[in-house]
Amino acid sequence: MTSLRINGKPVKAKPGITLLELAQKQGIEIPTLCHHPALTPKGSCRLCLVEDETTGELFTSCNTYVTGGMSILTDSQRVKQARKEILELIFAQHPVDCTVCDSANYCKLRRYAADAGVQGNELPGRGEFLPVFDNNPLIHRDYSKCIGCGICVRACREIQGAGAVEFKGSGWSYRPTSSFNKTMDGSSCELCGLCVSLCPVGALIEKPPLHRGVEDKRVRTVCPYCGCGCNLELRIAGGKVIGVRADIPGSWNGPSLCAKGRYGLFFVNHPDRLTQPLRREGEDLTEISWEEAIKEIAGKIKEIIKESGPSAVGILASAKTTNEENYLIQKFARAAIGTNNVDHCARLCHSPTVAGLAGAFGSAAMTNSIGDIEEAEVILVTGSNTTVNHPVIAQAIKRAVLHRGARLLIIDPRELPLSRYATIHLKPRPGTDVAWLNSMAQTIVEESLHNKKFIQERTEGFESLVETLKKYPPEKTEKITGIPAEQLRQVARAYAQARRASIFYAMGITQHIRGTDNVRAIANLAMLCGHLGKPGTGINPLRGQNNVQGACDMGALPDFLPGYQRVDSKEAREKFRAVWGREVPSEPGLTVGEMMEATLEGKLRALLVFGENPMVTDAESSLVEDALKQLDLLVVQDIFPTETSAFAHYVLPGASFAEKEGTFTSTERRVQKLNKALEPPGTARTDGETIALLSAEMGYHIQHQPAEVMKEIATLVSTYGGIDYRRLDKGGIQWPCANPQHPGTPILHVESFPRGKGLFQPVDYQPPVESPDHKYPLILSTGRILYQYHSRTMSKRSPIDRMEPQGFLEINPTDAEKMGIRDGDAVKVSSRRGKIVSRARVSASAPAGVVFMSFHFADEAVNRLTSSARDPLAKIPEFKVSAVRVEKI
Amino acid sequence: MGEERTRYKLVLGYGTCGIAAGANAVKTALEEAVEKGSYDVDLDIAGCMGYCFKEPIIEVTDRERDYSVVYGDLDAKKVLQVLEEHILNGRVIEEWVVRKSDDPSFGEGDFLANQHRIVLRNCGRINPESIDEYIAVGGYQAARKALTQMTSEEVIDEVSKSGLRGRGGAGFPTGTKWGFARKARGEEKYLVCNADEGDPGAFMDRSVLEGDPHSVIEGMIIAGYAIGAKQGYIYCRAEYPLALKRLEIAIDHLHQRGYLGKGIFGTDWDFDIKIKKGAGAFVCGEETALMASIEGRRGMPNPRPPFPANEGLWRKPTNINNVETLAAVPWIISHGGDKYAELGTEKSKGTKVFCLAGKVRRSGLAEVPMGYTLRQVIFDVGGGVREGKEFKAVQMGGPSGGCLPAELLDTPVDYEAITATGAIMGSGGMIVADSSTCMVDLARYFLSFTQEESCGKCVPCRIGTKRMLEILTRICEGKGVPEDMEKLQTLAADIKAASLCALGGTAPNPVLTTLKYFRNEYEDHILRHKCTAGVCPALITLFINEETCTGCGACLKVCPTGAISGEKKEPHKIDPELCIRCKLCLSRCPTESIWAE
């Protein structure tokens, strides 16, 4: 600690902090326009000047570090005068149009000017009016108002790692701009909106500006899109969401959000919201009361159970709804109905991770935290278009590369936005992952780069792995994968020799008929190098939905009770029986796909769907459609009408994330609390309330108060043992958290694995179910795009929809040329299972022989093409490989 | 060069100044003539000798008589005459002679005679593209001595003893700076040569790089050894193509000789140099901006600390020296620090190169010991004001410097003494102004330069200079108001106090010094609507003296607005309503009958 004086008062400070930080700690406000705590201080606005009492010198406090013996005045006459003059100077380049400026009361410049009594007309001369950039649907740029603070430039480079904005010009014409002073489209902008949110004036403004005044309140909550789990505040005015804001002190994501988080939450206010229960009457759905709806639904369920037994009823829980509600849904299924037929969309994303990693380690989740990504020396990304699907995690990866010198290795068939950050990007043929993963491992063993100590102490089954690997010399797999052997060796060496290396993967690994094997091969690779249990070192399956981790944790799975306790375990069933007071069925239930098949076979007669849209998102939609039509009872609770609810007998209006309390568990196992910001529209109810009503009607009382439900969870699920709402109000907790004193676990498997020793599970390569042939010569891969989400129920009802309102087929120029297809041409895409029409986007992002489509768009439903062939263990369909034909129409 | 020595050696001044004045044509003519004819000569080139005002020049050395003559103002025709008369007939063409080696009083001989050349010791004397010629004048002996006979500390001591201070302008003691970098912790260190000469009116760094690149590189080898840096960078602006070319040639030669790279001079010391071309931003001469630019970022200054000596290029300890500083180092090591310290004043030792420009008669390079007075530099070396006009002011130190009046001509050139006047030593540009220079306009010019070149980062510099410039422009346009002078003073004080780097911190200097020493001119402009120097178009009227006008019609022909009328052989007249004060007529009048008021 060093001693210094501020405004005559002696203070002690930690060396290494700036005078500005010290002053803020002391409760002294120093105005600044160019400073943000998450950015490198630049000292460019000069407003934070302070005076050295001894020398009379003025210097900026934001980038001057405390030194012992300093004597600083923050508020002297000289300082005040200098600040006033600087404000006058700024206004000599800034239009005084505050009355019509959308920055309104959020403008820091206006506030400081008001404080200092600066009117803005003290100096002669004005800034010039520059052309505004108004063509982006979400961001309005008017650099006439820019004060050159450089926050946008620094934020884009230092936090977002995109570098889409830089300064141009010198002197008077110094302004930030996008590449070549053009529009943001086509630049490296990822539309995260960070620059807009941090702009201290009105130069960057969100579009459309929904509200000019100050909001009525801000409510802290968690983003409902992907698994990153970004903390944000909803700005509420007049009972509506008027904007969002990140930058909550202490939140893990700091000021960062992505395009969806920033511009995709306005669906809450959308007039399409369901507000009243609906009942099918012929072709039409007509409004009924909740009492009628609950009574009729419960009655029909009871009838079906009576006729066909409880296994004729299935429930789809949701990775979008809260932990508490997922818990209630599975409890309702098991205790009130008496079936294990409960599943949700994790089946379609990370079920192989659950199967593969549980086999290797005994638990299946991201081993590390987002916060330690930047600690890695080597980052291997495979099967993950991270920038699009987990934008805020991609940020950290980019930062690791840009600012920490990490090497990024990408193995993925498609050219990705992350590719430009990569040291090397290898492009295997789709569906050949086991081959190259084994070859990497083989290289490591062959060159003796494996971690013998780790293998010896913490694993078993190494010998059998070595045997299997012998069949996979890189030269041999080159023929399968198309990856040059020497390049694969380089990647293997880089990964093995790093002190800290982590693997990130997502759907590109799991959505295969051999998805579980892919995951096992990844686990083998990491254990081989001992790359587990340290910061920046681990295996990170990136979970796709905001609460897919939680929905799995809560046992919304046909074979697991909450906390991954097996339904076929008597002990586990007994534990739950004791709390629930009802027997838990011992037979594992049906998975999502199996429920559809069972329906077609007449075994399943009733399906309750909470917040899912299988009509769009499940493989082989024609089967799904047939099944849904055949059901005797289809109940859908959702916030909007969906393609699935179009077949429902009853549609119930749900409450959105903004209208309820509860918790989500993010991809990094962080349990975070949602807070209620608004009342649900009309008579809409939370999923928990609906379950409680139905259950009560069926004679089984369920407590649905979220805080109480969490207490019950904590007693039954050891990893959630220490989670309670009072703790969560202070910030999220990463499970395992065994008791109220436990701080949570940022890194898994530090000393041992849940199953004791890590198990090597040797796997052999098997080709995908479909290979291209002369009739269907291309491989279709499916995935997400940045600006839409899943079946678009939310994203299409938010401003972000304008960025990409239509689907497309991404096709390599070579393939396009062969078929005479030009960019923008309408094309027919057909597979053995169906055909759809889309628009071609000719782009080298797709490798030759592979086409890519997103699955968001119901009007070009790509899942009419995909196959329902499934991984034998995890039951995930092979979304990533279907043979298709593309024709120009 | 042939085996047998010819009698005459012809050395053509082939720096940028020479080439700009037509040295290429002279070179071609000379080469063709020598190729065809049988002259007892060999040809060579050299960088700028300093006689920029007489370019193109050629030095003819008579090896038999150990005597040389410099011819100036040559062209392709004249040079052939020199071959005929001087080489064949042995007759010196006296009227073109600039300097005779045996008679310093002849012609412009005193220009060199009044100088003391250390940094410029080889400029104009050797072929800068030949490492052999540099070695022949003792080159690389200092580096060899430092690396083989001295410890790093001894090298630093020697430089400290010399009293050498940074010639880039700030005047920080070089030995001390090296000491910081030496002591800084870190395996990797960098040495940077700042060759981003950006001041209008300064060209000494360019001349040294073009005329004697090896002396700079040798200085870098010594400095690298002293501080422990194995990698050097030369940050040179791309607008200096000839300097860059000659540096590249020199570095190539050095690699071939093993003087750069691994284990140089047979020692176990490694040192190499990379060239980084700057894009010509003035602010990149500021060391933190310069480093940002080398790293590939936009060149913008950053606060110090951390000082480069501790955290510089790529966050490693870095030492940055200017070209002129480094070029003096080999001399200091060869001759000893004490020898260097014999020259100069108490606190400013050695010599300083000045660039004489503007209305001075002999524009060019002048290297004099510190302590010489401005008068000595401008009059004894520079030959006073052109066309015998009256000296009015000298702008010292470029756009960051100040304008000094005749009363201060006896100020010695010494860091502290110059600073005391309100100007700065800076890089050593001296722009001389005479009675035809308007001081308000001069201040406006310099401010327009700094405004344009401000990186834009800091509010006071970016916006403040613009507002000052607007006020100055207004004054020059005759729209000034009395409060403007006070407003300028306040703005200047704000900018100086609140700017981060030296660019902003010194940008108001030309305005402040002209306000201080030439306040009357501001008052003339504002109160009397007059520009006494006859420069500011809005404030002047052009007249034709009817008594001396011969009615030749030259003015009438060039007038773009038809403002001049008159019969042939009769005195002409200017219609002030139509006249746009372009002064074309004034420049064409053979009898100097037109004046501005």
Side-chain angles (χ1 to χ4, degrees), chain B residues 378-396:
Chain B
I378 294 164
F379 287 86
D380 299 354
V381 180
V385 180
R386 232 184 266 171
E387 295 162 16
K389 283 192 181 161
E390 197 191 330
F391 171 89
K392 189 194 240 176
V394 58
Q395 169 74 20
M396 281 283 300

Side-chain angles (χ1 to χ4, degrees), chain B residues 63 123 186 330 359 498:
Chain B
R63 283 170 170 143
C123 286
K359 302 290 172 61

